[in-house]
Amino acid sequence: MAYNFKIIERKWQGYWKKNQTFKAINDNKLKKYYILDMFPYPSGAGLHVGHPLGYIATDIIARYKRHKGFNVLHPQGYDSFGLPAEQYAIETGKHPADTTEKNIKQYRRQLDRMGFSFDWSREIRTSSSNYYKWTQWIFLLLFDSYYDLNKDKAKSISDLVYHFENNGTLQLNAVTDNIEQFNSDDWKSFSFSKKQEILLRYRLAYLSETEVNWCPNLGTVLANDEIINGVSERGGFLVEKKKMKQWSMRIGAYSERLINDLEKIDWPESLKEMQRNWIGRSVGAFVKFKIKGHEEEIKVFTTRPDTLYGVTFMTLAPEHNLTLKITTNEYRSVVKKYINSSRKKSELDRMSDVKTISGVFSGSYAIHPFNGNEIPIWIGDYVLSGYGTGAVMAVPCGDQRDYDFAKKFKIPIKNIFSNKDISKCAFVQKSDFKLINSGFLNDLEYEPAINKVINYLESKNFGKGAINYRLRDAIFSRQRYWGEPIPVYYKNDLPIPLSLKDLPLKLPKVKNYLPTSDGAPPLGNATKWAWDISKGKVVDNSLINNIDVFPLELNTMPGWAGSSWYFNRYMDACNENEFVSKKAVNYWKEVDLYLGGSEHATGHLMYSRFWQKFLYDLGYLPVDEYAKKLINQGMILGYSAFIHRKKGTQEYYSSNLLGNYKTEPIRVDISFVNSSNELDIEGLKESQIQYRKSKFKLEKGKFFVTREVEKMSKSKFNVVNPDEICEKYGADTLRMHEMFLGPLEQSKPWNTAGISGVHSFLKKLWRLYHPNKNFSVNNEKPTKKSLKYLNQTIKKVTEDIESQSFNTCISSFMICVNQLTSEKCNERQILEPLIILLSPFAPHISEELWSLLGHNSSIAKVKYPKYDSNQLVELSKNYPVSFNGKMRFTIELSLDLPIKEIEKIILNDKRTKQQLKGKQIKKVIVVLGKIINIVV
RNA sequence: GCGGGUGUGGUGAAAUUGGUAGACACGCUAGACUUAGGAUCUAGUGCUUCGCGGCAUGGGGGUUCGAGUCCCUUCACCCGCACCA
């Protein structure tokens, strides 16, 4: 009987489904292992061969851990809210829910075909209302919380109200953008709406007028991490700044903990570094400058308070709220013009135009807090409104940007560094200098100067030492339809939250998915989108003038909302009463291994850590980091094909004929190109009309394309569908081939060149159990050699799975099978453990062979074999490698031996004995059971 | 500019962490077999030389009995951040 993977794979996939083989139970007697993939967005294009890479890796580990006796949680679901389904709805009028449902079916079919051991009874979808009910609930919690800096954790807003009632803002240390100070009597005298406005400035989910990244083409705002190089991540559209009333999340409150706790988790160092940079912690001081002839003060942040005496001017961002106030009449029109022109600059222009220095003088002067000097105040767009206070004290001698600005506008530069030449550029080092011209700081170096100046600033109330973060609060509103509705209604313009019993607040039906004619988000098209307090339910908009009916929020939540807590939901996916039960979360606690792409470093992986910490603060979760270990799998890249058209014609030239012409490359679908880069012209012409009349200039009767490695994507015509591979070679071959392609973390182009190697390995394996074409194994005692090969393989494979080196692991299997084949091994005692080892990699063929071996239950439930070190002890080669004054030898052994055995081996070895020349052995060092250094 | 990473045959890659560089696989070459199958098996395959041998882990230098691995320097490529005060 030949290896018929089609029949075998269908058979066992059916068996696993029917028997619920991979269902995890919430049983706290068993050791748990929680292994998770980043759940996919179900796009219309279906899966390509890049998607399963991570799933195959986690599936191998999941199956391995089950063999090792762990209760494994290996779930899967869909991040099913998102833009593509909505764009499709706009174009076709089809409801995003229908499109999503269709796509999910396709994904599931493809996933099932690869034999993954997911526990589908825990499947979740972020767009299903019994899931987003809890996303909304978490939003309500965030709305109902503030951050207490004394306790360094989130607390209920009622605690804050209590504090206000007793002390006002006195002795309050909370994260807020409120600057108003008041006492308890003031608080009591405030109106209801005034109180609410103040509380909004403390809530972790808050509504405020903020400057946002507005993308006109997408018709929505975007978070910072959704913008790449000044354009939108999706679609690459321009982004501009715009003031809007928006929901935000006070993620900044967690900056310090988000940085510090990176220490606790085993994540890739590069990814941690990215998060650190994104949070952008910098230590320095806030300094207040009085303005001549004005009440207001300018507050600046600086990391170099030691250079305060070097300040010769100040610069405000054009968007700073004092710019117009302090501008004198003389300069008003120039400043206004400047502000307008910089507002018009898109984010992209502003970034690409870093080198041009621009700015205008405001006409006003600030007062230096130490020496009373008058310092001119300038407006310049090199100062960003979003960082620090949007104002800087300019120290041209110590900062290159200030230096360039001063040079350009002929502002004096004062040198405060001894023996430093600043005629060409600023002196920016933090070491190797002493201060001069700096009053009480003269002769001090960096560190002592910083300490002294901060003490002074604080004692005189001129400022204080502080830590500033680059991390901005996350905008939470999206002007989209296909997202979680924000469970809030408006009464007198104030947001009032719904309560848990009113959830889920389900998405309303709308006629169309575009913004309304007056610019409101798509939910503005809904006719039934008002909240009736008395009935506690959604009612028709026409009732809004009734006393109990109010308009509901029209914005929806961003894509990252649903993905910020889903890993907790898997622990108890069907719970209707809680987002996750205490019992479940105390058992599963956290993800042991999380696998996904590094592109989520500053988005999902940041927000989810924030929500986890928040829910931990409120006591809903037992741990404040949800993923112990994280691995970024590399991308599988596509191998795009290009044909080259002579400019302005319909003539295409084969790749070696290009030299003499001006041509432009055009992508063609890689299905028309074979592995030697030859184009199937007829096939191309047949399927794509635009080529019917084109001329193809051949070389030696053939037409060749050029190739380029790029991200695999439908729009680049370079996707390879896993279904094709499954059809041709089977899922087991696909799984092993993807793992054999190279190290998991590395990005690599897809190629099918090596796939035959893996496929023939599986066939060889099959033959091992089918000598003479029929299945047979014998119960005789295996040869010593066979036993050695088996035990070697157990050891190597186990180590490799533990360290996720799947490619070398597969090599070991290949070596083993080759060795056993040449040994003509057919003993059950060898073949039974071998197939258990292989089953995580190639589950279908393993199940089949396992059942042929006469076992009734699934191989997935079987215990992992242990290697017998005695079988490995064999001195194949031993040799002294080197000799120096200390007399050191290296001998290769097969395994750790008792010390007496080692001595015997050493003394028995002719060459070693020779070198020892009868000297006494003083010390034997055994490293990793293999290398021995002998000191004599 | 700052931060992180990578560099080994024709190709994907190994190398027990300082100990025989190139395992394993693809490809290629030669051969065997045949029930003609996207088969299987055997041998060879870093470069150089008829061979002995010599040279090889981007380049240069260093430490060491011994370096792909550690240190210094330099080049190339990839990724992330980027007027962050």
Side-chain angles (χ1 to χ4, degrees), chain A residues 115-131:
Chain A
F116 292 129
S117 66
F118 292 125
D119 176 0
W120 285 107
S121 70
R122 294 170 188 255
E123 178 197 298
I124 56 176
R125 304 174 183 191
T126 53
S127 64
S128 99
S129 61
N130 46 28
Y131 179 83

Side-chain angles (χ1 to χ4, degrees), chain A residues 669-771:
Chain A
D669 196 303
I670 52 163
S671 59
F672 298 117
V673 182
N674 71 12
S675 56
S676 24
N677 296 341
E678 192 190 333
L679 180 72
D680 171 12
I681 299 175
E682 291 314 309
L684 181 71
K685 280 188 173 173
E686 199 156 302
S687 78
Q688 285 180 290
I689 312 158
Q690 74 265 33
Y691 292 114
R692 299 246 163 105
K693 287 182 181 161
S694 307
K695 280 184 186 153
F696 288 84
K697 304 280 183 183
L698 312 179
E699 50 180 303
K700 290 173 193 156
K702 289 175 175 177
F703 190 95
F704 295 101
V705 298
T706 58
R707 295 278 202 162
E708 215 169 285
V709 172
E710 297 181 291
K711 201 170 163 175
M712 200 173 271
S713 129
K714 201 182 178 185
S715 63
K716 295 192 166 88
F717 303 117
N718 62 2
V719 294
V720 181
N721 190 317
D723 292 339
E724 292 169 26
I725 311 290
C726 284
E727 191 60 35
K728 238 172 160 176
Y729 299 99
D732 284 338
T733 303
L734 173 69
R735 289 168 64 111
M736 293 194 80
H737 176 63
E738 291 217 7
M739 289 298 102
F740 193 56
L741 226 40
L744 184 59
E745 285 100 329
Q746 219 169 75
S747 288
K748 52 237 157 190
W750 173 256
N751 79 73
T752 45
I755 205 163
S756 63
V758 173
H759 193 59
S760 66
F761 159 75
L762 288 174
K763 284 192 279 192
K764 261 185 235 174
L765 178 88
W766 184 261
R767 274 200 299 276
L768 205 53
Y769 295 75
H770 294 78

Side-chain angles (χ1 to χ4, degrees), chain A residues 46 51 289 300 334 342 351 417 423 529 759 801 804 850 875 898:
Chain A
H51 292 112
F289 286 76
V300 302
V334 186
S342 71
M351 279 167 74
F417 304 111
S423 61
W529 197 239
H759 193 59
I801 295 181
Q804 293 94 43
W850 188 248
L875 208 54

Side-chain angles (χ1 to χ4, degrees), chain A residues 875 877-884 887-893 905-906 908-917 931-934:
Chain A
L875 208 54
K877 291 178 257 174
N878 54 1
Y879 51 91
V881 161
S882 57
F883 163 77
N884 68 359
M887 195 91 179
R888 291 167 83 209
F889 296 89
T890 303
I891 295 178
E892 188 183 322
L893 295 171
I905 289 161
I906 295 165
N908 283 341
D909 181 62
K910 235 195 267 168
R911 292 158 76 188
T912 311
K913 217 162 147 185
Q914 225 171 39
Q915 293 223 3
L916 274 170
K917 285 175 192 153
I931 313 298
I932 308 177
N933 288 327
I934 306 161

Side-chain angles (χ1 to χ4, degrees), chain A residues 147 149 152 251-263 279 281-283 467-469 471 609 613 625:
Chain A
Y147 199 86
L149 284 165
D152 209 14
I251 186 173
Y254 285 86
S255 302
E256 192 71 24
R257 284 166 67 188
L258 285 171
I259 284 194
N260 291 342
D261 291 350
L262 286 172
E263 305 277 321
I279 296 167
R281 181 182 195 269
S282 49
V283 182
I467 294 163
N468 192 45
Y469 302 93
L471 185 65
R609 290 182 62 220
K613 288 179 188 304
E625 285 292 343

